[in-house]
Amino acid sequence: MTRRMNDTILKAFKGEATDYVPVWYMRQAGRYQPEYREIKKTRTLFEITHDAELCAYVTELPVKQLGVDAAILYKDIMTPLPSMGVDVEIKSGIGPVIDNPYRTMEDVERLKPLNTDDISYVFETIRLLRERLEVPLIGFSGAPFTLASYMIEGGPSKSYHRTKALMYAEPDVWNALMEKLGDMVITYATAQAEAGIQAFQLFDSWVGTLSRKDYVRYIKPTTERIFTELRKLDIPLIMHGVGASHLVEEWQDQPLDVVGLDWRLSVQEARDRGITKAVQGNLDPSFLLAPWPVIEAKVKEILDEGMKQPGYVFNLGHGVFPEVDPSVLVKLTAFIHDYSREKMGGTSL
């Protein structure tokens, strides 16, 4: 018997009319889940992602539990960097740590092209998921600026002073680094698509620290090259940044399909600023700790704006965090489906 694929979210990504508002959550697989916390007691993140069977389980679990309309491949943004020669360690409570930062042309020149054979476990995970899922699978990559910030700072940063200083003072080094990271993203996303992902999201977690002028000068040429190349894959392409509301017009004129919004910019404000592409977002995840009536009121406000025209996908403005009760996400997902279906005149699944 052929499995029925719920492709509602793919239609929304393409700006097409849907019967209801589809939803997925960034970090929907993670530390808020008791099952995931049990796994993490004995397995590191790298160990989970290298085990295709276990990684597929972790990716699929929130789809089954929450009833969301897409799975997001469970991987870390650092996954492809070791193949390029980057010695990175994920330290508990800290995040990615790189003991030998990349701050000179010599450092950048040592970076190797991504060899997808080195990360074959990623593509095996994708193939397993495509055999099991009844909703689309979204692949992703960290964006060049965010990856560069870890490589230059040596780990997480609050200021990104070293990253910006290199960008401003050593443009040749910066451009060389952007070229290598851009090549990596193109290779990585293409291999994911060949393995079976049905949409792709570029995460630029820290690009919001840049001014619009600096983004246009130092970052946009690379992201535009990435999306131009990935356009050939014929899958929806999503751009998401945090604290990057001032950049949405720059995403609007790039060859991508979906503009991701965080909670700082409402859907209506984005539309008023000329965003005609599909949009995704944008509940502040902090609301997930509020009483249900508070959550419901805010979600209605977001949905009412999103449903004014086709091409809207509900998501959070950033990822689910560990303190969130899974039952809240279950209730939220059902509410988004039911409320939007009633308003849009859709039929039951």
Side-chain angles (χ1 to χ4, degrees):
M1 180 177 179
T2 303
R3 286 181 299 119
R4 176 174 176 264
M5 172 65 68
N6 174 8
D7 64 351
T8 302
I9 202 164
L10 297 180
K11 293 177 180 177
F13 283 154
K14 296 173 185 176
E16 299 173 6
T18 57
D19 290 338
Y20 66 94
V21 171
V23 54
W24 70 279
Y25 305 111
M26 286 179 277
R27 293 183 187 163
Q28 64 188 25
R31 291 174 293 170
Y32 75 97
Q33 297 173 295
E35 298 88 348
Y36 180 84
R37 290 198 296 269
E38 281 298 313
I39 293 170
K40 282 300 295 287
K41 287 179 180 179
T42 58
R43 307 291 289 274
T44 67
L45 186 149
F46 270 17
E47 287 172 340
I48 295 171
T49 57
H50 281 64
D51 183 332
E53 187 67 42
L54 181 59
C55 193
Y57 167 77
V58 169
T59 300
E60 189 179 16
L61 185 63
V63 177
K64 293 180 175 180
Q65 292 182 332
L66 308 181
V68 290
D69 297 280
I72 175 73
L73 182 65
Y74 180 79
K75 298 293 172 190
D76 188 80
I77 63 170
M78 297 290 120
T79 295
L81 293 190
S83 177
M84 299 179 71
V86 180
D87 186 11
V88 57
E89 180 182 359
I90 307 297
K91 294 190 176 181
S92 180
I94 299 175
V97 174
I98 297 169
D99 290 331
N100 300 300
Y102 289 72
R103 297 171 181 169
T104 68
M105 185 62 82
E106 289 74 19
D107 293 333
V108 175
E109 288 174 345
R110 287 201 308 272
L111 289 170
K112 299 178 293 184
L114 173 64
N115 182 349
T116 55
D117 289 342
D118 293 339
I119 52 172
S120 58
Y121 53 88
V122 174
F123 315 117
E124 177 59 25
T125 301
I126 293 171
R127 286 187 284 269
L128 288 174
L129 286 164
R130 283 304 308 275
E131 293 174 359
R132 302 171 186 178
L133 289 171
E134 296 182 359
V135 296
L137 175 62
I138 302 171
F140 75 93
S141 174
F145 178 81
T146 291
L147 294 174
S149 74
Y150 285 109
M151 294 170 67
I152 295 165
E153 304 285 344
S157 172
K158 293 182 179 180
S159 63
Y160 306 94
H161 290 323
R162 288 186 179 273
T163 304
K164 292 182 180 181
L166 187 144
M167 186 176 72
Y168 297 141
E170 302 284 352
D172 290 345
V173 178
W174 180 261
N175 290 336
L177 180 57
M178 288 296 99
E179 182 174 0
K180 290 205 172 189
L181 290 175
D183 289 344
M184 180 279 291
V185 173
I186 292 167
T187 300
Y188 189 32
T190 300
Q192 290 183 47
E194 290 172 349
I197 64 166
Q198 292 150 285
F200 175 81
Q201 177 159 303
L202 192 65
F203 278 101
D204 215 340
S205 304
W206 313 132
V207 75
T209 62
L210 297 180
S211 69
R212 182 172 178 177
K213 186 175 182 180
D214 284 346
Y215 175 83
V216 170
R217 179 176 179 181
Y218 298 106
I219 309 300
K220 188 175 181 180
T222 302
T223 56
E224 200 151 26
R225 180 169 72 91
I226 289 169
F227 285 122
T228 298
E229 287 297 315
L230 299 188
R231 187 84 279 159
K232 302 171 185 176
L233 302 177
D234 196 29
I235 59 174
L237 305 174
I238 310 161
M239 181 71 224
H240 183 80
V242 179
S245 298
H246 57 300
L247 303 180
V248 293
E249 289 94 342
E250 302 302 332
W251 298 341
Q252 168 68 25
D253 70 4
Q254 294 187 52
L256 55 92
D257 301 284
V258 186
V259 174
L261 307 176
D262 76 3
W263 63 91
R264 297 168 179 85
L265 183 71
S266 72
V267 175
Q268 188 59 55
E269 288 171 325
R271 295 298 191 198
D272 291 344
R273 284 168 53 177
I275 305 305
T276 58
K277 295 180 184 295
V279 293
Q280 175 180 275
N282 63 339
L283 180 69
D284 184 338
S286 298
F287 270 96
L288 298 175
L289 297 184
W292 176 253
V294 176
I295 299 174
E296 182 179 297
K298 183 61 179 177
V299 172
K300 281 183 179 179
E301 175 188 317
I302 294 171
L303 288 171
D304 287 343
E305 291 185 5
M307 290 186 291
K308 288 181 179 179
Q309 64 188 77
Y312 174 63
V313 172
F314 191 96
N315 207 315
L316 304 177
H318 202 187
V320 182
F321 52 94
E323 293 81 5
V324 173
D325 185 334
S327 67
V328 173
L329 290 175
V330 174
K331 189 172 184 178
L332 175 59
T333 305
F335 176 77
I336 292 164
H337 286 161
D338 292 343
Y339 180 79
S340 64
R341 186 175 285 112
E342 179 182 353
K343 293 287 185 178
M344 298 166 74
T347 57
S348 299
L349 290 175

